[in-house]
Amino acid sequence: MTQKVAVLGTGKIGEALLSGMIRAGWAPADLLVTARRPERADELRTRYGVNPVSNPEAAKTADTLILTVKPQDMGALLDELAPHIPADRLVISGAAGIPTSFFEERLAAGTPVVRVMTNTPALVDEAMSVISAGSHATPEHVAHAEEIFGAVGKTLRVPESQQDACTALSGSGPAYFFYLVEAMTDAGILLGLPRDKAHDLIVQSAIGAAVMLRDSGEHPVKLRENVTSPAGTTINAIRELENHGVRAALIAALEAARDRSRELASGKKD
């Protein structure tokens, strides 16, 4: 791994990616970082042994640029970078909702761009990163993005037309599970359990269920049916979920997330 890779805007996700790459075998000397605050840059240098640089220096020096700033800051970053990025640099965007065409229009003609939507489990090496090629990106560019993001979890290639749906499902997905655990914890307290015990019960149940979904090969309906005995406790709970429209609410929520991703692509902020 001799190529130089720069992570620009190294926040939580950028740092998770950086630390994962080092664990996967990248040499810190081959990794560059940029940060808005000097104290943050010093923190990254001390923690990982990487070299903090300015955005223009990263553009001139690195073979691959990973842009992890917020979507609303991407335009300004590209304005700063564009004069310094040669057309042979691979640009990887981690910004929700922004299509590869946004970058291609602002960078030198022919610049390869790969779009990646990852999620916060990158912090524990369990990310789901969805990868799409821009019009100038080759299979080798996509494979390189897979190698990088594979350091913090699983990767999946999809057509860019599916990125907004993937953002709704997996990009925002961890928040839905956290929300569900929060609600179930409150229910446990209502049923008479201390908060810490309710939390432990729910978290381990969630981990066990996720491992079964991943490893059993069974459809989720089959796994649910295995828990649902006739006239038992589970079917009564599921009846209430259906009575309260939980399934319909989830579908509507994901459609709303998908629509917001499209709005971000169009430049709408409010």
Side-chain angles (χ1 to χ4, degrees):
M1 301 176 186
T2 56
Q3 281 203 344
K4 285 194 177 295
V5 176
V7 181
L8 284 74
T10 314
K12 288 184 178 179
I13 292 293
E15 182 176 357
L17 183 60
L18 183 72
S19 62
M21 291 172 68
I22 292 171
R23 288 192 300 276
W26 269 267
D30 293 328
L31 299 174
L32 308 176
V33 297
T34 76
R36 190 172 284 178
R37 297 178 291 108
E39 56 270 28
R40 172 62 171 166
D42 290 340
E43 178 183 305
L44 292 168
R45 178 194 288 114
T46 301
R47 187 173 297 168
Y48 300 106
V50 295
N51 184 25
V53 295
S54 66
N55 289 328
E57 186 177 352
K60 295 174 187 176
T61 307
D63 302 289
T64 300
L65 304 174
I66 305 173
L67 313 185
T68 63
V69 300
K70 295 178 180 179
Q72 59 267 33
D73 297 329
M74 192 62 77
L77 177 62
L78 289 177
D79 288 342
E80 183 182 7
L81 294 177
H84 308 288
I85 299 180
D88 62 348
R89 294 288 192 269
L90 171 59
V91 175
I92 299 176
S93 165
I98 301 182
T100 55
S101 59
F102 180 90
F103 299 86
E104 292 167 351
E105 291 166 1
R106 289 162 174 78
L107 300 174
T111 300
V113 180
V114 172
R115 179 176 171 182
V116 180
M117 183 70 250
T118 192
N119 57 18
T120 56
L123 296 166
V124 292
D125 292 347
E126 291 291 349
M128 181 71 251
S129 300
V130 184
I131 299 176
S132 302
S135 58
H136 306 298
T138 67
E140 289 75 21
H141 291 129
V142 176
H144 187 47
E146 287 177 326
E147 182 184 21
I148 291 171
F149 282 84
V152 291
K154 187 175 181 180
T155 64
L156 178 68
R157 296 189 191 190
V158 301
E160 189 169 9
S161 61
Q162 296 176 1
Q163 274 280 355
D164 292 322
C166 292
T167 297
L169 280 170
S170 66
S172 301
Y176 313 146
F177 291 102
F178 299 147
Y179 182 87
L180 180 61
V181 168
E182 178 187 3
M184 290 177 70
T185 301
D186 288 344
I189 295 169
L190 179 66
L191 296 174
L193 291 170
R195 178 175 293 276
D196 59 341
K197 288 185 171 58
H199 177 82
D200 289 347
L201 287 166
I202 294 161
V203 170
Q204 184 56 39
S205 296
I207 292 170
V211 171
M212 290 180 71
L213 280 166
R214 184 190 65 191
D215 296 347
S216 70
E218 297 281 4
H219 193 280
V221 170
K222 176 64 175 176
L223 294 173
R224 178 182 60 77
E225 288 176 344
N226 290 342
V227 187
T228 310
S229 56
T233 60
T234 306
I235 192 62
N236 274 273
I238 289 173
R239 180 186 63 184
E240 289 302 310
L241 291 173
E242 295 291 349
N243 287 342
H244 286 82
V246 171
R247 187 186 302 264
L250 281 171
I251 293 171
L254 268 68
E255 286 180 329
R258 188 258 338 257
D259 294 344
R260 181 55 180 158
S261 183
R262 289 175 176 173
E263 289 175 353
L264 289 171
S266 69
K268 184 176 181 180
K269 298 182 180 179
D270 299 322

